[in-house]
Amino acid sequence: MSVLARQPGLCHYASKLACCYGWRRNSRGVCEATCEPGCKFGECVGPNKCRCFPGYTGKSCSQDVNECGIRPRPCQHRCVNTHGSYKCFCLSGHTLMPDATCADIDECASGKVVCPYNRRCVNTFGSYYCKCHIGFELKYGSGRYDCVDINECAVSTHMCSPHANCLNSQGSFKCKCKQGYKGNGLQCSVIPENSVREVPRAPGTIKDRIKKLLAHKNSMKKKIKMKNVTPDPTGTRAPKVTSKPIIYEESLSRGENSAGEKKGNEEKIKEALEEGKTEEKALKNDVEQEQSLRGDVFSSKVNEAGNLGLDLVQRKVLNSKLEYKGLNISADCSFDHGVCDWKQDREDDFDWNPADRDNAVGYYMTVPALAGHRKDIGRLKLLLPNLQPQSNFCLLFDYRLVGDKVGKLRVFVKNSNNVLAWEETKSEDERWKTGEIQLYQGIDTTKSIIFEAERGKGKTGEIAVDGVLLISGLCPDGLLTVEG
Ligand SMILES: [Ca+2]
Ligand SMILES: [Ca+2]
Ligand SMILES: [Ca+2]
């Protein structure tokens, strides 16, 4: 057989070679298969035999292949058939990869989305969402959902030591060891008594305040002497004890040394008693005058009791933290050494918190603007179970209201009634000021004094109280304005 005989489509007809049936000789003299009516999207590879290009089918390759209907499906998400081919599409939040799969778009990482200021972006497969920041939770209020701070202190999710105060803050909370304890707040240990630092307070220390009170007392004395007031001949009841308790005590202690000295001291005491009597009477007159001028209402029983004025009758006062020369301080609660006899009210909306000042001059009690909501109330009570009846007391305290619409500070005096004694709603500046309340003890003695903070709608600042003193006698007007 010749080489030509092996050509496709070449046939022997007797001794003659010609193109086979279904084949035709082309212009180059080679037999070529013929397809009728032809191959539209393919090539003719044999008589009436088409080989279709990809994406086409049918006898003459004129039909499109629907790839989207073929298993396995060529696309992961969406397939769209086209003439001769197909296209893959991905659902939103995804992107088409070169291998026709769909991958998640990390919207948070790409920076394509911006969550509201109080939320964070969380990527999900095919999407993302804006979640409340850690420490906040979604709550419905005033017509919409909003991320609000979780009060960890109120829901007891905090891990503060039992000897620590939990201070809630926006998005977080703090554990702070109570006074008398030290540590990181999660663990607090007792500070040994003698290591408690004595730090001067700002503005004006308690000692300063006492100095001022004594100055007032001395000036009153001088006034009395100048007036040369004669004691009432019929005589009011003499004070039980001398008006100069410290001198009295000193005399007694020295008196033990020798008989001679003792005699001298007795005279001294007698003198002191006389002086005290005179002073008291004079002061009483002075005070009565002052009262009538001020229009204060005082029971006449006070005068009869012979228990007036700044010259104080020495007696053992309960809760006495500090007895200073000539001044009987019933309660001194500067908050530096614990909260004294103060108690947090259990039925209010929030607690007062101890806070320390930036320049480390000791603690005070505060209601930060973060505490509670508008109109919420927090009460701090000073219990006074053994206050002497029918006597005067002066309550002095430092306070400040900082921040726009931070709220109100009120002081209630509680005996059988609860009487609003003092109120401050706003402050022109951030400085500490001194408040004073004159208390008269009738038969119905004061059981407690309540400092009540009512929150405003302001979000910054604080309502703070410090250096609370309860002193026997009348308040010395105008002397205790603290500068700074
Ligand atoms: Ca197709
Ligand atoms: Ca995503
Ligand atoms: Ca919080």
Side-chain angles (χ1 to χ4, degrees):
M1 195 186 266
S2 73
V3 177
L4 275 175
R6 276 185 247 128
Q7 278 182 6
L10 196 64
C11 289
H12 285 271
Y13 294 103
S15 59
K16 202 176 155 194
L17 278 170
C19 289
C20 305
Y21 177 77
W23 296 74
R24 192 186 294 153
R25 196 177 294 274
N26 66 11
S27 55
R28 288 175 290 141
V30 179
C31 293
E32 205 177 59
T34 56
C35 294
E36 287 301 332
C39 303
K40 200 169 182 191
F41 299 102
E43 53 181 347
C44 188
V45 292
N48 287 333
K49 194 178 176 185
C50 295
R51 186 165 66 203
C52 299
F53 300 139
Y56 294 97
T57 189
K59 191 147 171 64
S60 57
C61 296
S62 58
Q63 288 170 22
D64 167 63
V65 175
N66 181 8
E67 294 88 348
C68 297
I70 296 168
R71 310 259 169 172
R73 295 179 184 277
C75 299
Q76 195 178 347
H77 288 174
R78 293 277 181 270
C79 180
V80 174
N81 184 42
T82 62
H83 195 74
S85 186
Y86 66 98
K87 269 185 176 169
C88 291
F89 293 93
C90 292
L91 298 173
S92 73
H94 294 82
T95 186
L96 188 66
M97 301 304 283
D99 65 353
T101 58
C102 296
D104 170 60
I105 299 167
D106 187 343
E107 294 85 353
C108 302
S110 69
K112 278 179 186 167
V113 294
V114 178
C115 287
Y117 76 99
N118 58 353
R119 299 193 196 189
R120 63 198 162 107
C121 182
V122 177
N123 183 45
T124 63
F125 199 76
S127 187
Y128 70 96
Y129 66 104
C130 293
K131 193 181 182 178
C132 291
H133 285 294
I134 293 162
F136 292 82
E137 62 187 345
L138 200 63
K139 271 192 178 162
Y140 188 78
S142 42
R144 66 196 183 101
Y145 281 97
D146 206 359
C147 292
V148 295
D149 171 57
I150 299 166
N151 187 344
E152 293 86 352
C153 302
V155 297
S156 300
T157 53
H158 64 84
M159 301 288 282
C160 296
S161 155
H163 302 299
N165 288 306
C166 179
L167 303 164
N168 184 43
S169 65
Q170 288 294 306
S172 187
F173 68 100
K174 237 194 209 168
C175 301
K176 202 161 185 177
C177 293
K178 289 175 181 170
Q179 283 98 80
Y181 291 88
K182 61 177 179 180
N184 59 9
L186 301 175
Q187 288 175 324
C188 300
S189 57
V190 182
I191 302 171
E193 190 88 346
N194 56 9
S195 73
V196 176
R197 244 178 346 138
E198 284 287 346
V199 274
R201 304 200 56 71
T205 63
I206 286 173
K207 280 180 182 173
D208 283 350
R209 186 178 291 181
I210 288 161
K211 265 186 212 160
K212 285 178 180 175
L213 280 168
L214 283 171
H216 175 75
K217 185 191 154 193
N218 289 336
S219 75
M220 292 288 275
K221 251 188 219 172
K222 276 177 196 158
K223 231 159 87 188
I224 292 153
K225 276 176 185 160
M226 277 165 69
K227 277 186 188 169
N228 195 21
V229 178
T230 355
D232 188 344
T234 57
T236 38
R237 208 141 47 92
K240 286 167 198 150
V241 193
T242 172
S243 56
K244 289 182 173 176
I246 303 301
I247 291 170
Y248 184 72
E249 279 180 354
E250 278 172 359
S251 305
L252 275 179
S253 64
R254 263 189 264 122
E256 286 164 14
N257 295 341
S258 72
E261 249 188 44
K262 197 177 178 181
K263 198 186 167 192
N265 283 326
E266 274 169 2
E267 276 169 17
K268 229 180 196 174
I269 294 162
K270 215 172 162 187
E271 271 172 32
L273 276 163
E274 285 305 311
E275 199 189 333
K277 216 195 281 182
T278 315
E279 264 176 39
E280 192 198 31
K281 182 62 191 166
L283 200 62
K284 192 183 91 177
N285 294 342
D286 206 38
V287 165
E288 276 168 349
Q289 225 171 16
E290 202 185 327
Q291 280 165 8
S292 62
L293 281 172
R294 292 195 311 196
D296 291 357
V297 182
F298 280 87
S299 163
S300 60
K301 279 179 186 169
V302 185
N303 301 347
E304 282 162 18
N307 208 0
L308 260 183
L310 278 164
D311 261 358
L312 300 152
V313 173
Q314 189 200 28
R315 62 168 186 273
K316 183 73 192 165
V317 177
L318 218 98
N319 306 335
S320 176
K321 295 278 190 287
L322 179 66
E323 284 190 28
Y324 212 82
K325 271 186 185 173
L327 283 175
N328 199 344
I329 296 170
S330 305
D332 161 25
C333 198
S334 57
F335 303 110
D336 290 342
H337 304 291
V339 286
C340 304
D341 304 286
W342 293 99
K343 295 271 180 292
Q344 300 273 6
D345 187 16
R346 287 170 188 276
E347 281 149 30
D348 57 359
D349 304 308
F350 52 80
D351 279 354
W352 285 66
N353 290 313
D356 51 6
R357 304 186 186 189
D358 295 339
N359 49 357
V361 286
Y363 286 94
Y364 62 100
M365 293 302 278
T366 183
V367 172
L370 305 169
H373 302 286
R374 193 168 166 262
K375 298 266 182 197
D376 278 0
I377 296 277
R379 295 187 194 94
L380 198 56
K381 290 199 265 191
L382 176 59
L383 307 179
L384 303 165
N386 285 292
L387 223 51
Q388 177 158 314
Q390 297 191 323
S391 52
N392 281 308
F393 289 93
C394 178
L395 180 75
L396 297 164
F397 56 96
D398 289 338
Y399 70 94
R400 66 174 196 156
L401 294 162
V402 186
D404 188 34
K405 296 185 176 71
V406 72
K408 294 175 188 174
L409 176 62
R410 295 190 189 97
V411 182
F412 289 91
V413 174
K414 188 173 168 64
N415 37 46
S416 50
N417 299 311
N418 206 9
V419 181
L420 175 64
W422 187 95
E423 186 175 24
E424 184 80 60
T425 48
K426 62 175 180 184
S427 177
E428 277 83 51
D429 53 52
E430 300 190 351
R431 287 187 300 182
W432 286 86
K433 295 179 186 69
T434 299
E436 60 173 56
I437 299 168
Q438 182 65 59
L439 303 171
Y440 166 65
Q441 296 290 106
I443 306 296
D444 186 12
T445 56
T446 303
K447 302 290 190 302
S448 62
I449 290 163
I450 300 159
F451 282 78
E452 182 187 276
E454 182 189 311
R455 281 281 295 111
K457 61 178 176 184
K459 294 286 178 212
T460 57
E462 65 172 4
I463 300 168
V465 167
D466 195 6
V468 180
L469 287 177
L470 187 65
I471 298 166
S472 298
L474 295 179
C475 288
D477 279 347
L479 259 184
L480 293 157
T481 317
V482 180
E483 304 86 24

